[in-house]
Amino acid sequence: MNGEATVRPWVPEGMVAIPAGEIVLRDEGTKTNWRAEVGAFRLAPYPVTRELYRSIVGEAPASSAGPRTPVTEVAWKEAIRFCNLLSRAAGIEPCYALGTDPDGLDAVCDWETEGYRLPSEAEWEYACRAGTSGPRYGELDEIAWHAGNSGGEVHEVATRTPNAWGLHDTIGNVWEWCWDVFDPRVYGPYRVFRGGGAFDPPRGCRASCRRKSHPTFRIDDLGFRLARSRW
C-alpha cells in the first residue's frame, strides 16, 4: 500500500482552490500597509487536526481535546517538518529543506513543488477575507470560537460557518502559523501567526490581526493549516 492510500482518509477532503489576486496587509504596531500579489493555490478547509497529526507523526502533543480538534502545542519548526512528512507519505516532493539552525532561519521553501506547506501571510489573509474588506467575514459568534462562546476550550474543526470560499476556522478556534518572518530587523527569527483563538476577545479575532513568536514557541491555542502551490 502506498503512502497516499495510507493518509487519504485523514487529509482534509477537498482542499479549496483559491484564485489569484492581491491583498493589502497592515501592521497596526507600525501603522504601515503593503500590497502583495497572491498566485493561485490551494488551502485546507480547516486546520490540521489531532488525528491527522498523530497518523503522520505517530503521536500528538498531550491534550484532553478530541481527535477532530486542531492540533496545538506545535512549534513552527515542527509544523514544517510535519508538512514534509505528509508530502513524503503522499508520494509527492516536499517543499521544505531544513537545516540545523535552532532559529529556523536556514529553512528554505520551494514554492514550485507539489508538497504540503504553510501558507504565506499574504495567502492566509487573502483566503481568510474571501473577497470581503471588513474586520472579519461574518458575525463573530457565527463564524468563530472565541473567548465569548468557546467555554475556554478549543472546539472541533468545521463547526462554525465558513467564509464565502468554504474555509472554516480562519477566525477563532486556534491561531495558525504562517511561513513568514514577522520583522527580522526588530524581532529576528520570529514567525507570524494569524486568526485568533478560542481564548481571545473580539479584537484578537480579526482578519488583519498579526502576532508573532519564536519558531520553537508552543501554546495551547496555536496550530496550523496546510497549503499547496501545485496539485
Side-chain angles (χ1 to χ4, degrees):
M1 180 180 293
N2 63 30
E4 179 71 17
T6 301
V7 303
R8 188 185 300 277
W10 305 113
V11 174
E13 295 180 3
M15 288 187 77
V16 178
I18 307 297
E22 64 178 24
I23 181 75
V24 176
L25 297 98
R26 178 173 176 79
D27 181 72
E28 293 294 340
T30 59
K31 307 298 183 184
T32 56
N33 298 337
W34 65 100
R35 187 178 301 272
E37 299 291 330
V38 177
F41 70 106
R42 293 204 177 215
L43 190 65
Y46 44 80
V48 170
T49 61
R50 293 182 59 79
E51 66 182 356
L52 173 57
Y53 194 89
R54 183 181 292 110
S55 74
I56 299 303
V57 177
E59 61 181 357
S63 173
S64 60
R68 292 282 294 171
T69 59
V71 69
T72 60
E73 302 279 2
V74 175
W76 181 89
K77 292 179 69 176
E78 294 166 339
I80 63 172
R81 289 191 184 98
F82 172 87
C83 291
N84 276 359
L85 288 172
L86 180 59
S87 296
R88 292 189 183 102
I92 55 180
E93 184 180 358
C95 285
Y96 296 118
L98 307 178
T100 59
D101 181 6
D103 292 333
L105 290 175
D106 57 356
V108 177
C109 181
D110 183 349
W111 299 84
E112 300 304 315
T113 69
E114 294 182 59
Y116 294 96
R117 59 175 176 81
L118 299 180
S120 71
E121 181 178 18
E123 287 175 333
W124 187 94
E125 184 170 335
Y126 176 72
C128 173
R129 289 189 176 280
T132 64
S133 58
R136 53 188 71 89
Y137 51 83
E139 293 297 322
L140 184 59
D141 282 343
E142 296 179 5
I143 67 172
W145 294 112
H146 61 98
N149 67 0
S150 70
E153 61 184 16
V154 171
H155 288 253
E156 289 193 358
V157 298
T159 52
R160 301 280 88 184
T161 302
N163 70 12
W165 290 350
L167 301 171
H168 297 265
D169 301 314
T170 54
I171 300 293
N173 213 10
V174 295
W175 293 87
E176 299 177 15
W177 284 115
C178 296
W179 164 255
D180 306 64
V181 177
F182 187 88
D183 184 344
R185 297 169 300 176
V186 179
Y187 297 101
Y190 279 30
R191 300 281 174 164
V192 174
F193 48 91
R194 291 296 214 106
F199 313 132
D200 285 278
R203 179 168 176 76
C205 297
R206 295 173 292 123
S208 62
C209 192
R210 308 176 73 223
R211 290 192 182 171
K212 77 283 184 187
S213 194
H214 193 272
T216 57
F217 178 68
R218 302 178 186 86
I219 199 167
D220 57 359
D221 64 347
L222 175 58
F224 65 103
R225 183 182 303 247
L226 300 169
R228 293 181 73 182
S229 300
R230 297 177 55 208
W231 48 91

